[in-house]
């Protein structure tokens, strides 16, 4: 296996009204040690479901249909829920988009941080409080001593995200999954949290799976990038290649359609049409209806994800003959 | 050029009362805001959450009554006129809301949603409703067949188009766009931004464009006002604000937005702390606790908006001389 985490042909479907919604439909990728992999996609592209599948937090009506998730040479798709509980929050942990809704409103934040230590590391209670305070200062919460007993509603959004980060790194995990960690936050706070995650990643030598829709955050934080669309990987490349030589028409469109802060254009490029309904995917390429370069074959058959340069993979018929 | 909207020294205080009904605190959500919106132009308001940008929008709509200050719509003070007259004027000021999932009545068809403003303001004769609804749908890029559908049958971007169609139904002179794209996916955002720009050219309508994304503000605005804790700290033409920002807060905002280009490695200007609570705003210049050039005078004296050059003003003690 390659690296720390390797996913092979993961399929996670949701069964609604007897229809299968193919949220994640055959996704394969790997994350190396100390690497930040970003998954970029719009809503419904399956990026969060991929993360929740790795955490094994998919609940009915959703189900992991097939695929392997190798983490540290263990296929966690096959682990029992008890074994998974030992791993979750310990070796793999996750921070969520909305810190307002992810913390317990009734328990002090200090208690919440030390919970993981008591459960996973069997740290004695006295010791765990000391450790929780250290973690709070590690994520730069001022006056940690005084704020240990405060509940989450006494903190601002950015501070709550710091607390969630402290909880996630409490057991020194190998992999940190950050699902849109800054989307709910203001710009000035956003850059602080991203800087914090970056420095923590280095200090604790973690790998990071960063899920976002903001290409600016990707450019500044990721080593490699995966572009997802409708449950499939459309392009995979290291961050420089992706921004300098994007291949897939969807990636190119995404990059062209964000307004830039440095320069102004009269008319923005926009990708025509809308994201197709997840329960009605056809055999064709899932992007063909919105693609400017669509050919006949695109309407009939879905292309494979092929490697066109070292480390640069694309799922598009345009590159299939070369 | 005539100004459609003129706002002068607008103040809104919200009183916080304790459970016994005693007034305890007072939040100055909007604290002395003045600006003009000329005919056919867009004023962008940008700022972090809690800075009062949405309240400013609500005040102009007269959904919230101001504590003091004047709002002139084509020279008429909308707070001095009777309710009856206000109802007549409402057709000139419309609004597009942030969340298209919550802004449309789920039990009404699109045709109902769009004919309601037509009938209330008697825009066209009753037997012309169908024709007008079709015209509006075409104008916002939806098909005539969509008139019979319900909001849940549409995607987020399409719903926002319906919201826009409803806003332009009364042929307004002024539309308040309150974060119209922040709930939408990136590939759909640019469609909506282009649509708003096209409509402005076609209908000669003015916008107050409220957003927190600086790239979106840059793309949409002719003039930009930067708000911080209820005050405009800098206002000017879009080129002035983005190419020659004067206020330290504007500089920080511009500096914190991530740039989607991995080759640019920026020296990030660190900003201290978070937005203070508007209940207990800092003394003097409200930005001074976070400002890196703050001096003694900033703690004691609140700076006025000072003219830097034609149409460009900033409220900082240190940006007048240069």
């Amino acid at each position: 296996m390659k690296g720390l985490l390797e996913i092979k042909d993961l399929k996670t479907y949701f069964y609604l009204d007897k229809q299968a919604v193919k949220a994640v439909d055959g996704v394969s990728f790997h994350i190396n040690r100390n690497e930040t992999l970003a998954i970029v996609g719009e809503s419904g592209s399956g990026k969060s479901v991929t993360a929740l599948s790795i955490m094994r937090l998919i609940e009915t009506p959703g189900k992991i249909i097939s695929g392997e998730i190798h983490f540290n040479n263990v296929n966690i798709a096959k682990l029992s829920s008890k074994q998974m509980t030992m791993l979750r929050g310990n070796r793999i942990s996750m921070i969520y988009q909305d810190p307002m809704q992810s913390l317990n409103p009734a328990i002090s934040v200090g208690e919440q941080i030390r919970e993981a230590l008591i459960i996973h590391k069997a740290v004695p209670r006295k010791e765990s409080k000391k450790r929780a305070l250290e973690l709070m200062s590690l994520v730069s919460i001022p006056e940690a001593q005084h704020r240990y007993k405060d509940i989450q509603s006494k903190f601002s959004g950015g501070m709550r995200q710091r607390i969630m980060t402290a909880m996630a790194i409490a057991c020194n995990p190998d992999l940190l999954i950050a699902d849109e960690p800054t989307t709910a936050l203001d710009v000035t706070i956003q850059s602080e949290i991203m800087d914090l995650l970056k420095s923590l990643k280095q200090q604790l030598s973690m790998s990071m799976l960063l899920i976002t829709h903001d290409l600016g955050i990707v450019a500044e934080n990721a080593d490699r990038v995966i572009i997802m669309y409708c449950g499939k990987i459309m392009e995979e490349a290291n961050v420089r290649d992706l921004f300098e030589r994007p291949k897939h028409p969807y990636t190119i469109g995404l990059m062209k359609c964000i307004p830039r802060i440095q320069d102004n254009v009269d008319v923005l490029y926009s990708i025509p049409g809308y994201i197709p309904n997840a329960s009605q995917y056809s055999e064709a390429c899932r992007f063909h209806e919105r693609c400017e370069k669509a050919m006949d074959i695109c309407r009939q058959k879905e292309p494979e994800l092929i490697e066109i340069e070292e480390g640069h993979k694309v799922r598009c018929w345009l590159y299939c003959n070369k | 050029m005539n100004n459609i909207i003129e706002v002068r020294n607008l103040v809104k205080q919200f009183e916080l009362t304790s459970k016994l009904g005693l007034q305890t605190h007072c939040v100055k959500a909007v604290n002395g805001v003045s600006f003009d919106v000329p005919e056919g132009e867009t004023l962008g308001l940008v700022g972090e959450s809690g800075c009062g940008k949405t309240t400013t929008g609500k005040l102009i709509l007269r959904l919230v009554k101001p504590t003091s200050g004047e709002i002139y719509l084509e020279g008429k003070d909308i707070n001095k006129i009777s309710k009856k007259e206000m109802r007549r004027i409402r057709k000139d000021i419309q609004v597009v809301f942030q969340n298209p999932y919550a802004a449309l009545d789920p039990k009404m068809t699109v045709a109902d949603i769009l004919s309601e403003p037509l009938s209330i303001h008697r825009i066209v004769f009753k037997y012309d409703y169908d024709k007008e609804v079709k015209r509006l749908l075409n104008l916002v890029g939806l098909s005539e067949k969509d008139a019979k559908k319900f909001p849940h049958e549409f995607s987020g971007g399409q719903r926002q188009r319906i919201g826009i169609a409803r806003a332009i139904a009364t042929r307004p002179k002024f539309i308040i766009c309150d974060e119209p794209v922040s709930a939408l996916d990136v590939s759909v955002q640019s469609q909506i931004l282009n649509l708003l720009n096209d409509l402005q050219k076609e209908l000669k309508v003015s916008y107050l464009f409220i957003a927190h994304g600086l790239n979106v503000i840059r793309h949409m605005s002719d003039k930009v006002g930067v708000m911080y804790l209820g005050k405009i700290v800098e206002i000017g033409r879009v080129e002035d604000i983005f190419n020659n920002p004067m206020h330290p807060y504007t500089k920080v905002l511009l500096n914190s937005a991530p740039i989607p280009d991995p080759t640019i490695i920026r020296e990030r200007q660190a900003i201290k702390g978070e937005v203070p609570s508007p209940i207990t705003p800092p003394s003097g210049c409200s930005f001074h606790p976070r400002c890196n050039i703050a001096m003694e005078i900033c703690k004691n004296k609140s700076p006025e908006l000072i003219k830097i050059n034609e149409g460009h003003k900033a409220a900082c003690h240190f940006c007048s001389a240069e």
Side-chain angles (χ1 to χ4, degrees):
Chain A
M1 85 172 257
K2 283 188 267 181
L4 174 73
L5 178 86
E6 187 175 16
I7 294 180
K8 283 182 193 160
D9 202 31
L10 176 72
K11 289 185 180 171
T12 306
Y13 293 177
F14 288 79
Y15 292 94
L16 301 169
D17 301 335
K18 288 174 192 160
Q19 272 178 325
V21 176
K22 298 173 179 175
V24 175
D25 200 10
V27 161
S28 309
F29 63 86
H30 71 277
I31 303 177
N32 296 321
R33 284 188 185 274
N34 301 328
E35 184 185 45
T36 301
L37 176 75
I39 300 186
V40 180
E42 300 179 90
S43 46
S45 62
K47 52 193 195 309
S48 290
V49 176
T50 305
L52 291 174
S53 303
I54 299 170
M55 292 294 275
R56 288 268 311 273
L57 288 173
I58 299 288
E59 286 178 356
T60 41
K63 205 175 170 232
I64 298 177
I65 298 296
S66 67
E68 296 164 24
I69 305 167
H70 292 282
F71 177 75
N72 269 339
N73 295 316
V74 181
N75 184 1
I76 57 176
K78 292 254 152 42
L79 290 183
S80 70
S81 65
K82 214 171 184 181
Q83 286 170 311
M84 192 59 214
T85 311
M86 308 266 287
L87 208 66
R88 196 188 294 127
N90 185 8
R91 307 309 334 140
I92 315 176
S93 53
M94 184 158 171
I95 50 180
Y96 301 88
Q97 172 172 358
D98 193 346
M100 328 281 161
Q101 282 166 24
S102 308
L103 293 169
N104 189 325
I107 303 176
S108 83
V109 296
E111 288 293 327
Q112 289 185 64
I113 295 170
R114 77 169 172 184
E115 202 175 19
L117 292 166
I118 294 167
I119 292 170
H120 291 298
K121 299 283 184 206
V123 180
R125 293 192 76 86
K126 240 186 197 158
E127 176 76 27
S128 71
K129 178 169 179 182
K130 215 177 106 205
R131 184 80 187 105
L133 285 171
E134 279 169 26
L135 283 163
M136 283 171 81
S137 30
L138 188 65
V139 296
S140 322
I141 293 173
E143 299 170 45
Q145 277 286 358
H146 289 109
R147 310 223 61 183
Y148 182 85
K149 284 202 169 140
D150 282 348
I151 52 167
Q152 60 125 342
S153 57
K154 300 236 164 123
F155 291 86
S156 67
M159 283 296 151
R160 286 181 217 186
Q161 197 59 287
R162 285 172 194 272
I163 288 158
M164 199 146 70
T165 310
M167 287 165 68
I169 59 165
C171 298
N172 217 335
D174 297 315
L175 176 66
L176 178 69
I177 302 175
D179 187 358
E180 307 248 9
T182 59
T183 313
L185 306 175
D186 283 319
V187 255
T188 55
I189 311 300
Q190 181 174 323
S191 63
E192 273 178 38
I193 296 285
M194 284 321 300
D195 288 348
L196 172 74
L197 287 177
K198 219 174 182 175
S199 81
L200 285 175
K201 196 200 123 205
Q202 251 155 25
Q203 278 177 51
L204 307 171
S205 52
M206 295 184 288
S207 302
M208 192 152 88
L209 178 64
L210 177 66
I211 294 170
T212 179
H213 62 263
D214 186 333
L215 286 167
I217 288 179
V218 171
E220 289 184 1
N221 296 284
D223 300 312
R224 276 192 310 129
V225 188
I226 284 174
I227 306 278
M228 279 187 80
Y229 186 75
C230 295
K232 296 250 181 194
I233 294 179
M234 289 294 172
E235 186 161 0
E236 179 183 337
N238 74 48
V239 69
R240 282 224 155 174
D241 285 346
L242 189 90
F243 280 87
E244 279 164 20
R245 294 187 299 279
K247 299 285 186 200
H248 198 285
Y250 176 62
T251 317
I252 296 170
L254 265 191
M255 297 211 175
K256 276 202 287 185
C257 75
I258 13 174
R260 306 269 164 152
I261 208 166
Q262 301 90 338
D263 51 355
N264 204 356
V265 287
D266 279 347
V267 181
L268 275 180
Y269 175 80
S270 64
I271 303 176
Y274 302 96
I275 300 160
N277 189 331
S279 56
Q280 289 156 1
Y281 293 140
S282 61
E283 292 290 295
C285 169
R286 288 179 186 177
F287 188 60
H288 81 271
E289 285 169 333
R290 306 178 71 189
C291 184
E292 282 178 345
K293 295 188 173 146
M295 304 173 288
D296 284 340
I297 190 161
C298 305
R299 297 181 190 98
Q300 289 152 13
K301 221 175 126 197
E302 174 149 61
E304 292 291 313
L305 188 67
I306 52 162
E307 192 158 11
I308 51 165
E309 283 165 33
E310 205 194 325
H312 198 150
K313 294 180 190 167
V314 187
R315 185 190 297 279
C316 181
W317 284 116
L318 286 175
Y319 304 97
C320 274
N321 313 328
K322 287 165 197 166
Chain B
M1 212 180 315
N2 294 330
N3 290 330
I4 289 284
I5 289 277
E6 288 175 25
V7 172
R8 293 288 169 268
N9 279 322
L10 198 60
V11 177
K12 176 64 198 176
Q13 290 185 3
F14 289 106
E15 279 155 16
L16 301 179
T17 47
S18 65
K19 276 176 192 158
L20 293 170
L22 301 168
Q23 187 189 328
T24 48
H25 293 290
C26 175
V27 180
K28 287 193 173 166
V30 176
N31 192 3
V33 163
S34 305
F35 56 78
D36 301 327
V37 185
E39 216 171 63
E41 284 204 8
T42 302
L43 173 75
L45 270 189
V46 65
E48 297 180 277
S49 45
C51 72
K53 50 193 197 301
T54 297
T55 308
T56 308
K58 283 186 180 163
L59 285 164
I60 296 174
L61 287 163
R62 213 174 121 170
L63 294 176
V64 178
K65 247 189 146 22
T67 311
S68 67
E70 295 106 50
I71 300 160
Y72 298 98
L73 174 77
E74 296 188 300
K76 226 185 254 172
D77 188 343
I78 63 161
N79 288 306
K80 297 233 167 69
I81 56 179
S82 67
K83 269 193 177 159
K84 208 171 163 190
E85 199 173 350
M86 186 63 209
R87 204 167 288 160
R88 234 184 0 254
I89 285 179
R90 271 199 201 285
K91 75 172 197 302
D92 293 333
I93 316 176
Q94 288 292 320
V95 57
V96 176
F97 294 101
Q98 171 170 10
N99 186 350
Y101 295 88
L104 302 172
D105 189 330
K107 288 185 171 177
M108 287 166 89
T109 64
V110 172
D112 294 340
I113 290 170
L114 296 182
S115 345
E116 198 175 27
L118 299 177
S119 80
I120 290 172
H121 293 292
R122 299 192 191 119
I123 305 293
V124 293
F125 289 117
K126 206 168 182 180
Y127 45 79
D128 281 338
Y129 285 177
D130 282 351
K131 215 171 92 196
E132 181 68 8
V133 165
K134 278 177 191 164
R135 191 185 73 90
L136 289 167
L137 286 173
N138 284 329
L139 215 50
V140 297
L142 290 171
S143 112
E144 294 172 6
K145 287 179 219 147
D146 293 331
K148 291 197 185 83
K149 291 189 191 164
F150 286 92
H152 74 264
E153 296 175 69
F154 295 92
S155 69
Q158 288 168 313
R159 279 183 228 198
Q160 197 57 291
R161 285 175 193 265
I162 300 168
I164 293 168
R166 178 176 62 183
I168 59 171
T170 63
R171 321 212 170 145
K173 294 170 182 148
F174 184 67
I175 300 180
I176 295 171
C177 305
D178 191 358
E179 305 254 14
V181 296
S182 48
L184 304 177
D185 279 315
V186 253
S187 77
V188 182
Q189 276 190 13
S190 62
Q191 294 177 8
I192 298 295
L193 295 177
N194 284 342
L195 172 67
L196 285 169
N197 269 334
D198 292 345
L199 288 174
Q200 181 164 50
K201 277 179 209 138
E202 216 170 303
L203 309 172
K204 307 266 180 305
V205 54
S206 310
Y207 292 140
L208 177 69
F209 196 91
I210 300 169
H212 64 272
L214 284 152
N215 52 353
V216 175
I217 285 281
R218 162 138 217 185
H219 181 70
M220 292 301 292
S221 313
D222 299 299
K223 272 195 328 191
V224 179
V226 181
M227 285 188 78
Y228 188 76
L229 281 182
K231 282 188 177 160
I232 289 185
V233 293
E234 184 162 2
I235 187 164
R237 312 287 317 170
V238 65
E239 306 84 32
D240 291 336
I241 298 285
F242 281 85
N243 302 336
N244 185 24
M246 297 305 290
H247 197 282
Y249 179 62
T250 315
K251 290 180 188 168
V252 164
L253 267 189
L254 288 172
N255 198 261
S256 351
I259 300 172
D261 185 349
T263 53
I264 299 174
I265 295 162
R266 281 177 311 157
E267 277 303 307
R268 216 181 244 138
Q269 227 180 332
I271 178 167
K272 292 174 267 176
E274 305 198 343
V275 184
S277 159
I279 301 172
T280 49
S283 62
C285 170
S286 51
F287 187 59
H288 86 259
R290 302 175 79 192
C291 182
N292 53 5
I293 57 165
M295 307 272 270
E296 220 26 61
I297 181 174
C298 305
K299 287 180 194 157
N300 306 321
K301 204 175 151 221
S302 169
E304 296 292 314
L305 272 173
I306 308 159
K307 188 172 160 186
I308 287 156
N309 54 42
E310 197 50 50
H312 188 184
K313 291 182 202 163
C316 176
H317 292 298
F318 297 104
C319 55
S320 54
E322 287 90 359

